[in-house]
Amino acid sequence: MSESVRGPGFAVLPDTPAGAAARPAVPIAVPQVVAHASGRPWLVGRWGRDQCVTAAAGPVRVAVIGVRPVTAARLSRLAAQVRSPADVDRLAADLPGACHLVVSFGGQMRLQGTATGLRRVVHARLHGTTVAADRADLLAAMTRASVDEHALAIRASCRGVLPSPLSEQTMWSGVVALPPGDCLVWDRDRVRQARWWRPPEPREPLETGARAVRTALEAATSRQHAPAEGLSSDLSGGMDSTSLCFLAARHTPDLTTVRWAEAGAGNDDPAFAAHATRLLDRAEHLLVPQRQLPRIFDDPQMLADTEQPFPFTRTAARFRHLGNLLARSGSRRHLAGHGGDELFSALPGYLHQLLWRHPVTAIRHTRGYAALKRWPLSATFAGLLRPGDVAGWWRAQAEHLTAPPPPRRRPVLGWGLWPMRVTPWVTDAGVELTREALRRTADQAETWADDPGQHQALLVLRSSTSLYRPLARMLAGAGVELDLPYFDDSVVEAVLGVRLHERSTPWRYKPLLADAMRGTVPDQVLGRSTKGEYGEDLRIGFRHNLPAILDTFADSALAAHGLIDTDILRTRLLAPQADETTVFAVESLLGCETWLRAERSAAAPGRPDAATTAP
């Protein structure tokens, strides 16, 4: 790990002599420092303007770190109410947004992230004390940690997004990620882990839930905003981003909207975006034409993030271009609709409990999904009657890791979602390390909700946050804050509180969001049942950049690590592509390759070498 971590990040040090002694190890050049009431260093890091708000009330110190988190005056009022650790729960419940909360008082301290893990907490031991941070590479540099072989192997072996909790595992041994919804509590040198958030029971009817979702989204899109600082928002034409644009335009009518032009002529995003553009007549609308966009997979050797292998390598060059474009346009905060699909799309695991509570409704929904997605009825009802358990799902992934993928048109009714399979270029050593990681996960697996449908919703949310944290750092490099309102805790709670069979249905597309935005977003957009398709962008970019991709693996760090066979990889990449499976798999692999190269080159003398060959 580099001696100086790039981009925003912070370490949290306990109010002890050992915590103060850890201050010089924080690998941030010229950091910002906030002190405990004792004067010892408390927060050490780098954050954007107005992203860290602090307050003091006697011996109590409170810090909230995030995008436009809270005013200093309001935080001071909340800090004055803290008398004991139990008071922090009430303070956390009153805070808006998706932020880190840190409280220090009388030698005690509490640190928490967000319910979904978008703002996460990692911790490690250093000089006999527990230190924490918001990013794992910072602690890895402080503790000179070595790469976790299992974490690297499973990311290099399995295509696509890793399901939680594997997606939350850090890349280093000894650097531990706190589960979303948990907090760390220090009592001087003693540290414990506690639960501060649990998902609500899904009891609210659709009408009531839609009002709660609207209220939460209104608050999330109306954060404190300095008039001199520009606000921008994605406007793809989809329901998620379009909703944010119309909500934001209520208080910032002159916002800037951004849309990437697509290569495929069959994509209907432009028509819906154009309709919204006409109604947002005071906004400035940026349409980035194809000729100005980096191609998909441009610059495949670019290191996009140092905390983890970057998951969006195919669009990394485009996101960097977007950050620079937004900065030149004057934007300092950018709204994006990431999280909307995860929150509002149908996840049919809810059919299990619905079958026992409301069998007629469950059968109607099941037949609707079977017709819509062409599920085989026998497999569908077998899955309904035998849901299994979470540990069994993980064990099945380990057992079938090298098996052919299951049919695409299959019911997703268990405690997991997508099946995990290794790619054909993974070595036997990589397969075995991945299988061990899956079995370990099975041994520790737990359900996050009694209803499989609610568990699936949390699974999708928690798994996706690892995709968006690196994007935020990429835009921050251009001086732009990435704001993801759909990940606000209040928005997530409002959605999860709605009855599962009303927020998910085979007959309507995102019914909860559509009802919440009725009267604000055009009905033409709310009634949309399609989603933009960018396959042509992918095919053009892959063909153009294939030589550069092959060159990236010509002297592969992953191959030197014993995880992949580059001859098999090259053969697969040069073969005709029947579908996009191989292309998406190589995207994950590129992220691992560039990350491992950087980690190997940054290994300092005296530190365990990250490049030792896997067993």
Side-chain angles (χ1 to χ4, degrees):
M1 176 52 53
S2 168
E3 291 302 314
S4 181
V5 171
R6 297 186 304 177
F10 61 90
V12 180
L13 307 178
D15 191 8
T16 63
R23 158 67 184 88
V26 178
I28 294 179
V30 195
Q32 296 154 277
V33 181
V34 180
H36 291 280
S38 66
R40 294 188 181 109
W42 178 30
L43 307 177
V44 182
R46 184 187 301 120
W47 43 79
R49 181 173 52 182
D50 300 328
Q51 281 195 320
C52 180
V53 179
T54 61
V60 175
R61 298 291 183 271
V62 179
V64 180
I65 306 169
V67 179
R68 300 282 172 192
V70 66
T71 64
R74 183 180 177 190
L75 190 60
S76 294
R77 291 193 297 271
L78 293 173
Q81 300 171 15
V82 175
R83 298 288 187 273
S84 70
D87 295 331
V88 180
D89 287 327
R90 290 190 290 273
L91 187 154
D94 287 338
L95 287 175
C99 302
H100 284 92
L101 169 64
V102 201
V103 180
S104 170
F105 49 99
Q108 299 181 75
M109 185 169 68
R110 172 165 154 175
L111 166 64
Q112 65 189 53
T114 57
T116 62
L118 182 68
R119 302 276 177 175
R120 76 164 174 174
V121 174
V122 292
H123 58 96
R125 297 288 291 177
L126 178 63
H127 304 318
T129 193
T130 296
V131 294
D134 68 327
R135 49 189 293 181
D137 51 349
L138 192 153
L139 290 188
M142 291 177 68
T143 60
R144 307 183 76 81
S146 58
V147 170
D148 185 314
E149 299 290 350
H150 293 89
L152 176 62
I154 200 164
R155 283 169 171 80
S157 299
C158 297
R159 63 178 65 93
V161 180
L162 287 181
S164 177
L166 273 180
S167 62
E168 297 154 12
Q169 182 182 3
T170 80
M171 297 301 297
W172 292 272
S173 298
V175 180
V176 181
L178 205 64
D182 279 15
C183 61
L184 277 183
V185 180
W186 285 257
D187 187 353
R188 301 193 184 279
D189 286 326
R190 295 190 301 275
V191 182
R192 61 184 175 87
Q193 187 173 316
R195 194 78 178 156
W196 70 270
W197 182 84
R198 296 185 187 278
E201 290 295 324
R203 295 170 177 162
E204 296 296 330
L206 181 62
E207 182 179 357
T208 305
R211 289 197 296 268
V213 169
R214 181 185 179 87
T215 298
L217 281 172
E218 286 176 342
T221 53
S222 61
R223 304 193 215 280
Q224 295 294 315
H225 179 65
E229 296 181 347
L231 176 69
S232 59
S233 180
D234 287 342
L235 181 55
S236 68
M239 196 186 300
D240 304 330
S241 64
T242 306
S243 296
L244 298 183
C245 285
F246 278 91
L247 288 172
R250 294 175 308 126
H251 57 81
T252 311
D254 59 344
L255 84 161
T256 299
T257 73
V258 184
R259 190 173 77 81
W260 297 353
E262 58 292 312
N267 192 329
D268 58 353
D269 275 356
F272 290 96
H275 182 65
T277 295
R278 288 191 293 270
L279 296 177
L280 294 166
D281 54 357
R282 292 182 58 185
E284 178 183 354
H285 302 288
L286 290 180
L287 172 60
V288 188
Q290 276 279 311
R291 66 180 181 276
Q292 294 180 11
L293 277 173
R295 287 188 179 92
I296 299 295
F297 285 115
D298 266 6
D299 197 7
Q301 298 191 30
M302 177 178 71
L303 176 66
D305 193 59
T306 55
E307 185 186 26
Q308 64 179 39
F310 191 62
F312 288 132
T313 53
R314 72 180 186 272
T315 51
R318 286 191 173 185
F319 280 115
R320 183 161 290 178
H321 179 76
L322 173 65
N324 293 330
L325 179 69
L326 291 173
R328 289 196 300 270
S329 73
S331 174
R332 292 297 173 264
R333 181 163 64 97
H334 183 69
L335 298 171
H338 305 308
D341 283 340
E342 292 87 343
L343 266 182
F344 298 107
S345 295
L347 296 169
Y350 72 90
L351 294 171
H352 287 291
Q353 291 203 6
L354 189 65
L355 184 64
W356 300 108
R357 295 171 179 169
H358 305 286
V360 174
T361 302
I363 291 172
R364 286 183 60 249
H365 279 228
T366 301
R367 294 182 65 179
Y369 280 118
L372 178 68
K373 301 177 180 292
R374 286 184 276 177
W375 290 347
L377 281 176
S378 59
T380 300
F381 282 103
L384 274 178
L385 296 173
R386 295 189 298 272
D389 57 31
V390 176
W393 185 88
W394 284 103
R395 281 192 287 269
Q397 306 315 301
E399 180 181 350
H400 300 297
L401 191 58
T402 57
R408 289 191 175 184
R409 298 196 179 278
R410 63 180 186 89
V412 184
L413 297 170
W415 292 90
L417 290 174
W418 51 94
M420 300 185 69
R421 297 291 188 270
V422 293
T423 48
W425 47 75
V426 178
T427 63
D428 290 343
V431 170
E432 188 53 36
L433 285 167
T434 300
R435 186 169 279 125
E436 289 174 4
L438 292 171
R439 287 169 176 161
R440 291 180 184 180
T441 305
D443 292 340
Q444 303 168 4
E446 61 178 359
T447 57
W448 300 322
D450 294 334
D451 192 309
Q454 192 81 319
H455 177 88
Q456 283 186 347
L458 290 163
L459 174 61
V460 171
L461 283 168
R462 287 176 53 160
S463 301
S464 66
T465 56
S466 63
L467 306 178
Y468 303 129
R469 284 190 300 268
L471 292 187
R473 286 194 285 268
M474 186 173 285
L475 292 190
V480 179
E481 297 174 327
L482 179 63
D483 193 353
L484 305 178
Y486 290 119
F487 281 104
D488 272 26
D489 286 351
S490 59
V491 175
V492 171
E493 284 202 343
V495 171
L496 294 181
V498 178
R499 295 170 183 165
L500 286 151
H501 67 283
E502 294 188 32
R503 72 178 193 240
S504 294
T505 167
W507 299 287
R508 290 183 63 192
Y509 181 65
K510 298 183 179 180
L512 178 55
L513 180 60
D515 285 8
M517 293 294 101
R518 191 77 60 196
T520 297
V521 176
D523 286 344
Q524 180 178 343
V525 175
L526 297 181
R528 184 180 182 183
S529 59
T530 60
K531 190 170 178 62
E533 199 273 328
Y534 291 82
E536 188 62 19
D537 294 68
L538 184 66
R539 288 184 284 273
I540 292 172
F542 180 72
R543 286 196 302 268
H544 182 271
N545 287 304
L546 181 55
I549 293 171
L550 292 170
D551 185 60
T552 300
F553 293 106
D555 184 22
S556 169
L558 290 170
H561 216 71
L563 295 176
I564 66 170
D565 184 321
T566 52
D567 290 337
I568 296 176
L569 173 63
R570 182 179 181 86
T571 299
R572 290 281 179 160
L573 291 178
L574 290 173
Q577 305 298 323
D579 55 30
E580 297 165 346
T581 302
T582 297
V583 179
F584 287 138
V586 84
E587 175 179 36
S588 305
L589 196 68
L590 279 168
C592 291
E593 179 68 30
T594 55
W595 181 88
L596 183 58
R597 285 186 183 189
E599 178 65 15
R600 288 176 56 174
S601 66
R607 178 183 161 203
D609 191 349
T612 53
T613 303

